[in-house]
Amino acid sequence: MREADGTWLEGAPGAAGVSRPQSAWRLRVERRLSEAGVCLDGARPWDPQIRDERVFRRILLHGSLGLGESYVEGWWDCERLDELAYRMLRSGAEARLVDSLADWLRLARAWLWNLQSVGRAAQVARRHYDLGKDLFGAMLDARAIYSCGYWCDARTLDEAQEAKLDLVARKLALEPGMRVLDIGCGWGGAARRLAERWGVEVVGVTISDEQAHFASEHCRGLPVQIRHQDYRSIEGRYDRVYSIGMFEHVGWQNYRAYFTEVAGLLDPDGLFLLHSIGARVSSRYSDPWVARYIFPNSLLPSAAQIAAASEGLFAIEDWHNFGADYDRTLIAWHRNFERAWPRLADRYGPRFRRMWRYYLLTSAGGFRARRHQLWQIVLSPRGVLGGYRSVR
């Protein structure tokens, strides 16, 4: 019995009635990986080591979901997952390997339903951000900033995150006494830094119970108010608005509503800074493995989607891409996670360790390959008189 590409299926009679030693499933995967300079069971750190031959069929039938799940289940291993992901994504082999019917069905679902509606928005908080402060406290910097650091002059993760927060403040031209809104405030590290160093009053909102509780304690005694609420229910008027690492949870069906909401909250002469991971190509659905196991209902926006959604509401004053810095940030997080694993192991278990390692390292490979970007975009409602002076 032949496959469409002419290879004989394992166990079926070939031209001389003899079975091939390798399955057609394996041969297909092998060909795709060779385009990326990757060899199955090879000797290099990025060469995957196969533990279960069923993995090939699973990958070809279930796409990226099958690839990630089979790693977590121990069907294959790889010493340098980040380098494997980098080579696959940079060469384009990943798209030819994991594109499956299941992925197309997920795309249809994303068209039919608003996966980031008010009712579904809190799912990512419950399943990701509320996992445990012990995990994030061990993995992140001292301020618990869960977004890309700015490594321009930084040597450590703490320095990179502090530099990023000061970069945000300088881009927003913060002045003492300004009223500032933080959409998606996380554990309050940004709000605390801006209140302490720049003398502003901050209102931070998050949909995570754990984050809201911790941020409130973290910012106690400062002019910072933390609210547990969805961005669609914010009220008031602010001199400045920023959002760091939250827009990835808004969803394409809500982009216009998001910018409309921000425009209604911002002073006409104010500034809005959007810090978000970005995709090079517009899409309607996320990577299936990431959406199921890491960030439910997430979606990376494209430049075209952001521009279209903000059209008529904002002037784009500045667009800064430092996506390569996320590679270094993720590697630092992974190093911290592995160092802390002995004290996390009893609570989270070996399967979680493999899942989290796959998440951090394949993400790093994606930024290294420049498949993913990191944007800081400065917008103003009416355009800055005399022009906006870019800050780096």
Side-chain angles (χ1 to χ4, degrees):
M1 178 179 175
R2 285 180 184 265
E3 283 286 280
D5 61 4
T7 54
W8 293 98
L9 287 172
E10 184 178 32
V18 180
S19 298
R20 289 283 185 94
Q22 291 183 324
S23 71
W25 302 103
R26 181 182 178 112
L27 290 173
R28 284 189 193 174
V29 172
E30 207 162 39
R31 281 198 298 269
R32 295 292 181 259
L33 291 179
S34 68
E35 299 169 11
V38 175
C39 179
L40 291 177
D41 295 316
R44 296 165 301 185
W46 56 84
D47 290 331
Q49 308 300 308
I50 305 305
R51 311 302 184 199
D52 191 320
E53 290 289 320
R54 292 175 298 170
V55 66
F56 306 114
R57 185 175 188 273
R58 188 168 184 178
I59 291 171
L60 292 170
L61 290 180
H62 298 286
S64 62
L65 186 63
L67 182 67
E69 287 182 337
S70 59
Y71 174 80
V72 173
E73 292 171 20
W75 289 17
W76 61 278
D77 281 303
C78 183
E79 183 181 343
R80 289 292 303 276
L81 279 169
D82 54 324
E83 280 294 293
L84 172 62
Y86 159 71
R87 282 165 168 75
M88 290 176 63
L89 291 167
R90 189 69 176 176
S91 68
E94 180 265 351
R96 293 185 289 276
L97 177 65
V98 302
D99 186 28
S100 70
L101 174 61
D103 290 341
W104 284 101
L105 293 175
R106 293 182 187 96
L107 174 60
R109 178 171 174 261
W111 272 100
L112 293 173
W113 289 286
N114 184 353
L115 301 181
Q116 297 83 12
S117 65
V118 174
R120 299 174 62 92
Q123 288 182 6
V124 70
R126 292 192 297 268
R127 292 173 53 187
H128 189 89
Y129 296 108
D130 292 346
L131 274 172
K133 191 59 182 69
D134 57 343
L135 169 65
F136 293 110
M139 184 179 84
L140 305 178
D141 64 299
R143 297 179 184 275
I145 305 298
Y146 196 18
S147 55
C148 181
Y150 190 51
W151 292 87
C152 182
D153 297 311
R155 295 168 299 171
T156 67
L157 180 61
D158 283 353
E159 290 177 358
Q161 295 295 11
E162 189 170 285
K164 186 265 299 296
L165 298 179
D166 289 346
L167 181 68
V168 169
R170 290 185 291 119
K171 286 182 176 182
L172 289 172
L174 294 184
E175 296 178 2
M178 281 185 170
R179 183 170 164 82
V180 179
L181 174 65
D182 180 342
I183 302 177
C185 65
W187 290 278
R192 182 185 177 103
R193 173 71 175 179
L194 299 188
E196 285 179 330
R197 177 161 183 177
W198 301 88
V200 296
E201 299 178 9
V202 184
V203 173
V205 300
T206 175
I207 56 172
S208 165
D209 286 321
E210 290 287 332
Q211 288 184 337
H213 176 74
F214 182 88
S216 295
E217 293 298 316
H218 191 50
C219 298
R220 185 180 297 276
L222 293 168
V224 176
Q225 180 185 2
I226 303 298
R227 300 175 183 171
H228 179 230
Q229 66 181 129
D230 188 90
Y231 72 90
R232 284 160 282 208
S233 63
I234 302 172
E235 297 179 345
R237 178 72 70 171
Y238 299 88
D239 300 300
R240 300 288 190 266
V241 178
Y242 66 88
S243 181
I244 302 175
M246 175 270 178
F247 194 67
E248 301 89 335
H249 303 301
V250 170
W252 69 276
Q253 291 172 308
N254 307 303
Y255 289 158
R256 183 65 177 182
Y258 176 91
F259 282 107
T260 301
E261 182 74 19
V262 173
L265 296 166
L266 185 61
D267 185 90
D269 293 319
L271 292 172
F272 168 46
L273 184 141
L274 179 67
H275 174 117
S276 177
I277 300 172
R280 293 195 307 178
V281 178
S282 299
S283 180
R284 298 292 188 271
Y285 78 112
S286 178
D287 174 87
W289 187 85
V290 172
R292 176 171 292 187
Y293 294 101
I294 306 299
F295 294 113
N297 310 317
S298 61
L299 180 67
L300 301 185
S302 71
Q305 289 170 325
I306 290 174
S310 62
E311 183 175 344
L313 296 170
F314 289 100
I316 297 176
E317 302 287 359
D318 187 51
W319 198 304
H320 183 189
N321 184 351
F322 53 98
D325 285 24
Y326 224 146
D327 177 10
R328 193 169 175 182
T329 303
L330 284 154
I331 293 299
W333 289 346
H334 174 256
R335 188 180 302 116
N336 288 344
F337 172 71
E338 292 294 340
R339 188 182 299 120
W341 182 251
R343 66 177 186 269
L344 299 172
D346 287 345
R347 178 176 179 186
Y348 292 96
R351 182 184 176 90
F352 180 90
R353 185 184 190 183
R354 291 182 67 88
M355 180 187 76
W356 210 251
R357 179 188 294 154
Y358 187 84
Y359 151 54
L360 293 174
L361 292 179
T362 58
S363 296
F367 284 99
R368 192 174 308 163
R370 303 311 310 281
R371 175 67 66 89
H372 306 314
Q373 316 300 315
L374 189 286
W375 298 321
Q376 280 193 353
I377 309 166
V378 179
L379 306 100
S380 64
R382 301 191 296 186
V384 175
L385 288 176
Y388 177 86
R389 187 166 297 178
S390 297
V391 177
R392 297 291 183 267

